[in-house]
Amino acid sequence: MEPVTGTSSNPSNCSDKHPKGTQARILLSSVFGPYAQDDEFGSRSINPMELYHNQVTRAQGSFSLRMFHRSWGIMLIQANISAPCTVLDFPTQEDFARELARNEYDIVGISSIIVNVAKVREMCRMIRELSPKSTIVIGGHVAAIPGVEKMIDADHIVRGEGVSWMRRYLGEDENAPIRHPAIVSGMRTRIMGVRLPEREGATAATIIPSVGCPMGCNFCTTSAFFGGKGKFVNFFETGDELFDVMCRMEAELKVRSFFVMDENFLLHRERAMRLLDRMKEAHKSWTMSVFASANAIRKYTMQELVELGVSWLWMGLESPQAGYTKLQGADTRQLTRELREHGIRVQGSTIIGLEHHTPDNIIAEIEHAVSHDTDFHQFMLYTPVPGTPLYEQMKEEGRLLRDVDYADVHGQFKFNFKHAAISREDSKRFLDWAFWRDFQANGPSLYRISRTLLAGWKRYKDWPDARVRERFAGEMQRLSGIYGSALWAMERQFQKVDRGVSEQIRAVRREFQSESGIVSRMLPAVLGPVLLWTTRREERRLARGKTYEPPTILERTNWANA
Ligand code: B12
Ligand code: SF4
């Protein structure tokens, strides 16, 4: 596997190194909000800045898990340059204009994905007007749009890895070790109408070991953007390096859980197993949420995964008929069941509208996906995204639909290509049905994750390895009363959707009661009715069209030199 670094196209032909080098003053910004509304800049109400509510739990009403994630790409760049740098996350247009007007920035970098290209265009226009001397650098997946340099007025458009590009541009050592920023993985978490308190250490730290994925599935935009099949960019090569980063995060953020932002973390077994050795030596009872493909998961025994602290696993299920290498020979239903029995929450991901799908077989395919009974399930339309092999193939075959706004090419709306058997309108109907069916058949994800925790606790509460025992005991102690209360409210509220599921929720609640300590056993009687009330209030708010937006965040580094 060959690592790759970022390359840029240089529309204005300026020098490849900024004249001020590390003295240049830099602004790095994400695209402006608000996001969860329909507007001319490509915001869409169905495309909020929320991971779960956007593409996983969106049909779960007040039970949908809502939270925001920072723009990690620009945080990573900021942490790895010595020039004075401001990161502006989730600004409004007014915030962005104010920041440009108040500071004379030499470089303004904007990070964007494809759906937000119209915002990038507008931000470039604003920079030219308010800060005409600034050099404009555009990075992130938006750079993969063919002909993007003609759509926006920028000086540099960076494809691929951005830290090495920015270091090179400032005349710094692009191969210097990566300094990992301290990132709290999520913020403003909300469920059942309640915003969870943000205590230090309560939310996992994000760790970014690499970008890209060598598996190279034809539709995969992250794999394609960082080099495609056989390639990826590793920031931390070894388990030792990763262990050191995690120890630093543990100390800085007071965390014991980590969201590992690596497209296929378990694929690199040697690194993962070395990390496990170090964790054992230092008696680290950490938990990890990871992305991994079925073929990578099967390189490990359940014991190894549990000892490694894997407690949340995001796995592509796609479709058993699709023939992806990562799924070959895998019985994903059996694998999901086994993982959950070991207390590992599974987030499945299924594609709607693959080539072999027809109106006659799609319902059975969705039912098959739903029968995995994962804790969370993401459904996505098969989508040729610029930069991917699938996009090139569809282009050659003349199947790309013209006049589809890039703002609508995100897999949660309608096809952007001509499917052999399914119409564009029906693609949305099937997608929406899949989300609804999963919720109706399997209940709220909050119920499902509590059930998985219970299974893990029962299996591992007396386990000989104290690290494992402590992890489950800690989670149970923190969560059993809260889950018990939430289950109390869910059981009642879900009666309207499906009585059978409501009864299953009750059974799990009772089990929690018998496995909990005295305080946690008493809590549901008090907290349950409160949660039922907040849940119903939230349902009314959502029915009135309530949406949520992330806060604007501004962070400066090396600013004394500026
Ligand atoms: C966290 C995340 C989010 C967060 C948002 C974070 C944010 N603040 O914007 C949430 C959950 C809200 C989200 C939402 C969506 N997301 Co999202 N998301 C991700 C995820 C999982 C991680 C991003 C990340 O931090 N990666 C790690 C960092 C280090 O990598 P990076 O961002 O690519 O940055 C590197 C380079 O791109 C470059 N770079 C980035 N910015 C800049 C700027 C400059 C100036 C330079 C020089 C370089 C540079 O340098 C960085 C370091 O190498 C990625 C998947 C992935 N593995 O990347 C998807 C991903 C980015 N999301 C994607 C999509 C499609 C969406 C949604 C449309 C949801 C959907 N329907 O699928 C929405 C859009 C929301 C909106 N209204 O904008 C796609 C983008 C596809 C594309 N080609 O444009 C991705 C790639 C997932 C996928 N495989 O399909 N997302
Ligand atoms: S295994 Fe997952 S991350 Fe890797 S290329 Fe395939 S879809 Fe992308």
Side-chain angles (χ1 to χ4, degrees):
M1 286 170 239
E2 200 186 310
V4 280
T5 56
T7 55
S8 74
S9 67
N10 191 343
S12 68
N13 245 350
C14 30
S15 142
D16 272 329
K17 192 169 161 237
H18 194 277
K20 289 197 183 169
T22 54
Q23 300 306 307
R25 205 195 272 222
I26 305 174
L27 171 63
L28 297 175
S29 181
S30 53
V31 297
F32 60 82
Y35 309 95
Q37 60 170 32
D38 296 321
D39 69 23
E40 79 265 37
F41 300 115
S43 280
R44 295 288 185 265
S45 50
I46 61 157
N47 195 17
M49 196 51 89
E50 297 169 270
L51 171 59
Y52 289 93
H53 193 65
N54 183 318
Q55 64 216 72
V56 185
T57 53
R58 71 170 162 97
Q60 299 194 11
S62 54
F63 299 117
S64 178
L65 177 57
R66 320 224 21 183
M67 66 166 82
F68 303 105
H69 301 275
R70 293 285 310 276
S71 301
W72 300 324
I74 47 179
M75 291 174 82
L76 190 66
I77 296 174
Q78 183 187 39
N80 284 283
I81 53 176
S82 51
C85 180
T86 303
V87 157
L88 183 58
D89 221 351
F90 312 124
T92 59
Q93 268 182 289
E94 295 71 40
D95 296 324
F96 184 62
R98 199 178 316 117
E99 190 55 27
L100 286 175
R102 282 194 187 158
N103 296 282
E104 282 177 20
Y105 284 106
D106 299 297
I107 302 169
V108 181
I110 299 168
S111 177
S112 173
I113 60 174
I114 288 174
V115 286
N116 294 320
V117 62
K119 295 190 179 189
V120 178
R121 186 194 297 127
E122 174 63 7
M123 290 171 91
C124 290
R125 191 198 61 74
M126 289 169 73
I127 301 165
R128 295 291 188 226
E129 184 185 313
L130 299 168
S131 183
K133 289 189 190 144
S134 303
T135 302
I136 304 180
V137 183
I138 306 301
H141 289 268
V142 73
I145 298 179
V148 67
E149 52 284 344
K150 294 191 198 75
M151 299 167 71
I152 57 176
D153 179 11
D155 300 306
H156 297 273
I157 294 166
V158 180
R159 297 193 178 88
E161 209 286 289
V163 173
S164 55
W165 188 92
M166 193 57 91
R167 281 173 163 176
R168 209 161 50 231
Y169 187 55
L170 299 175
E172 298 197 44
D173 176 7
E174 64 175 289
N175 298 314
I178 292 287
R179 188 179 158 73
H180 202 292
I183 305 175
V184 177
S185 70
M187 55 184 174
R188 302 214 171 169
T189 305
R190 191 179 176 87
I191 192 158
M192 296 175 82
V194 177
R195 186 167 144 194
L196 306 188
E198 291 184 353
R199 280 179 299 104
E200 189 179 52
T203 309
T206 296
I207 302 284
I208 310 171
S210 76
V211 283
C213 172
M215 295 303 290
C217 300
N218 65 339
F219 60 85
C220 183
T221 168
T222 25
S223 176
F225 195 62
F226 296 100
K229 210 177 179 74
K231 295 183 182 164
F232 66 104
V233 182
N234 232 352
F235 295 128
F236 304 101
E237 297 279 348
T238 64
D240 292 300
E241 286 174 76
L242 216 47
F243 179 78
D244 292 344
V245 170
M246 290 165 83
C247 285
R248 194 160 65 76
M249 292 308 127
E250 181 184 40
E252 270 183 49
L253 296 171
K254 311 278 174 284
V255 293
R256 291 171 76 185
S257 59
F258 299 90
F259 176 83
V260 185
M261 187 53 254
D262 182 311
E263 286 289 38
N264 209 335
F265 178 70
L266 296 176
L267 203 56
H268 314 288
R269 185 178 155 88
E270 201 183 320
R271 184 175 69 181
M273 293 314 284
R274 178 64 191 151
L275 176 62
L276 175 56
D277 288 343
R278 296 293 306 271
M279 283 169 63
K280 281 183 178 167
E281 275 165 32
H283 195 86
K284 297 290 185 195
S285 182
W286 290 337
T287 65
M288 259 183 260
S289 304
V290 304
F291 296 78
S293 54
N295 67 330
I297 299 167
R298 283 159 68 235
K299 291 180 177 188
Y300 301 78
T301 63
M302 287 295 146
Q303 245 54 74
E304 285 170 340
L305 293 176
V306 169
E307 288 182 355
L308 202 48
V310 174
S311 63
W312 192 300
L313 218 156
W314 186 313
M315 168 171 54
L317 304 171
E318 326 307 7
S319 153
Q321 268 79 50
Y324 289 109
T325 320
K326 63 180 176 180
L327 293 172
Q328 266 162 23
D331 179 346
T332 48
R333 272 198 295 196
Q334 162 67 19
L335 183 58
T336 303
R337 196 174 320 116
E338 221 183 315
L339 288 162
R340 297 192 62 192
E341 282 166 8
H342 287 265
I344 299 175
R345 297 147 186 114
V346 179
Q347 171 146 338
S349 178
T350 290
I351 304 179
I352 306 289
L354 285 159
E355 300 283 11
H356 68 276
H357 285 158
T358 66
D360 292 335
N361 68 19
I362 185 101
I363 297 297
E365 288 252 336
I366 293 172
E367 290 290 5
H368 173 79
V370 169
S371 74
H372 282 75
D373 195 6
T374 53
D375 298 273
F376 289 91
H377 212 129
Q378 165 181 270
F379 294 92
M380 273 276 175
L381 289 179
Y382 195 48
T383 305
V385 175
T388 59
L390 180 63
Y391 184 86
E392 286 311 309
Q393 178 203 329
M394 294 273 182
K395 197 164 87 180
E396 264 170 43
E397 292 171 1
R399 292 168 64 198
L400 291 175
L401 296 179
R402 284 184 201 171
D403 304 328
V404 176
D405 193 323
Y406 279 119
D408 296 315
V409 181
H410 51 69
Q412 289 297 329
F413 183 48
K414 294 176 183 175
F415 282 153
N416 64 333
F417 71 102
K418 191 164 166 24
H419 190 279
I422 297 174
S423 71
R424 190 161 188 260
E425 293 310 312
D426 280 348
S427 66
K428 176 162 169 29
R429 284 193 202 108
F430 288 129
L431 178 72
D432 292 348
W433 190 79
F435 278 109
W436 174 82
R437 178 68 185 134
D438 183 58
F439 181 49
Q440 189 245 355
N442 297 322
S445 288
L446 185 58
Y447 147 64
R448 304 187 225 172
I449 57 175
S450 64
R451 194 179 50 180
T452 304
L453 169 63
L454 197 61
W457 154 255
K458 285 188 346 204
R459 194 172 204 126
Y460 289 104
K461 62 182 171 183
D462 299 317
W463 200 249
D465 182 342
R467 289 181 321 111
V468 173
R469 225 169 42 231
E470 280 166 19
R471 174 157 74 80
F472 282 100
E475 276 197 75
M476 201 56 187
Q477 207 179 355
R478 267 184 296 116
L479 294 172
S480 65
I482 310 246
Y483 279 171
S485 310
L487 290 166
W488 187 96
M490 271 185 263
E491 176 188 328
R492 279 151 188 82
Q493 187 70 356
F494 215 72
Q495 276 168 356
K496 287 190 289 190
V497 184
D498 190 302
R499 292 193 79 83
V501 175
S502 172
E503 273 157 31
Q504 289 167 28
I505 295 175
R506 179 186 310 167
V508 173
R509 177 172 65 79
R510 291 210 167 130
E511 268 200 89
F512 260 103
Q513 226 169 7
S514 63
E515 294 286 336
S516 299
I518 182 81
V519 178
S520 302
R521 211 174 305 156
M522 307 294 286
L523 199 60
V526 185
L527 191 57
V530 176
L531 286 178
L532 185 60
W533 182 78
T534 56
T535 298
R536 289 179 175 163
R537 185 189 56 180
E538 187 75 353
E539 288 291 346
R540 289 193 297 275
R541 280 183 182 157
L542 296 175
R544 287 198 300 270
K546 173 79 186 151
T547 55
Y548 294 98
E549 295 289 344
T552 303
I553 295 170
L554 185 141
E555 282 163 342
R556 302 193 200 279
T557 46
N558 309 318
W559 204 247
N561 314 336

